[in-house]
Amino acid sequence: MKAEERAGYIERLEELRKSKVLIYFSYTPLDDSILVPLYKQLKEIGHTQKIDLVLHSYGGAVDTPYKVVMLIREFCEEFAVIVPFVAKSAASMLVLGADEVVMGPISELGPIDPLVKHPTYKDVLVPVQAVWHCLDFFQRSIVNSNNPEVSSMIAAQMLSKLDPWLIGDYEKTIKASRQYAETLLSLYMLKDNPEKIQIVTHALTEGYYSHGYPIGRREAKELGIKVTEAHGELWDVIWNLYLGYEKLFKEKDNEEQQKD
């Protein structure tokens, strides 16, 4: 799909939604590198009534979504996130700072389980709850074992390989994700339904065991998230826009591979 076609879909989406549309489409972790380019785009748009963010991301750093929400809301009165396919983990947290999330039949949110850098393998990102589940497993193994002394010895050897500062950092990140979720929900997504804030926060930060668990639009609605279902031309435009950016990224990947 050519750039002119993508621009045409964006223009039509703005007409259908009566909004200004921003696109964040990435296969790399969401982090603070988004902030300066985002600010430049927002300055070009200027203050406007409504901004829609078309979001495709598998997550990233715990602090970035809050910063993105606060920045966008400096430039608009209404803010919505449009999820064509995937907005997982930290990207799902970004959704909690919107007034609504627009989803289609294939759209997915996910549990809030931010990524942190592995202390040894610098290019490896680890879901923070992986450490929590590891510690929980050791605890249950000791409590339920017929030979607690052997279990304790094995657990001690394993835990000796974990830096206490690392465990503390993981624990801090988990607590931060809960704090950010509660804050964003109370300020925006669930400001009119405060009784649901703790329920949704607990579900998204502790209620799912799989980092990649798919939360579709029906389940998101059942949780209490304000979901607008996209149908007809609206969904066609959103999905074609997604396909256009997916193709663009594949073409760039192929070009880079050919250079290598």
Side-chain angles (χ1 to χ4, degrees), residues 130-175:
V131 174
W132 183 87
H133 286 301
C134 173
L135 298 173
D136 181 61
F137 171 75
F138 285 142
Q139 182 181 19
R140 286 185 287 106
S141 296
I142 293 170
V143 171
N144 298 326
S145 174
N146 293 325
N147 193 334
E149 291 184 5
V150 174
S151 296
S152 296
M153 181 179 67
I154 295 172
Q157 290 177 351
M158 294 295 292
L159 291 172
S160 68
K161 299 181 182 296
L162 293 175
D163 187 328
W165 291 102
L166 173 65
I167 297 173
D169 190 43
Y170 282 10
E171 176 68 13
K172 180 183 69 175
T173 303
I174 291 172
K175 288 181 178 178

Side-chain angles (χ1 to χ4, degrees), residues 180-241:
Y180 281 133
E182 288 179 2
T183 301
L184 291 172
L185 286 169
S186 62
L187 288 175
Y188 305 114
M189 180 65 73
L190 295 180
K191 64 182 179 181
D192 297 325
N193 296 289
E195 70 281 356
K196 292 185 178 180
I197 292 171
Q198 290 298 325
I199 297 171
V200 175
T201 297
H202 180 271
L204 292 178
T205 59
E206 301 178 48
Y208 299 93
Y209 294 116
S210 171
H211 179 76
Y213 184 95
I215 302 174
R217 60 187 182 184
R218 291 183 182 178
E219 188 167 351
K221 273 187 174 182
E222 290 170 0
L223 284 175
I225 294 172
K226 293 180 182 176
V227 176
T228 297
E229 296 192 21
H231 299 285
E233 184 186 4
L234 175 60
W235 176 245
D236 289 342
V237 170
I238 292 169
W239 186 244
N240 282 318
L241 193 56

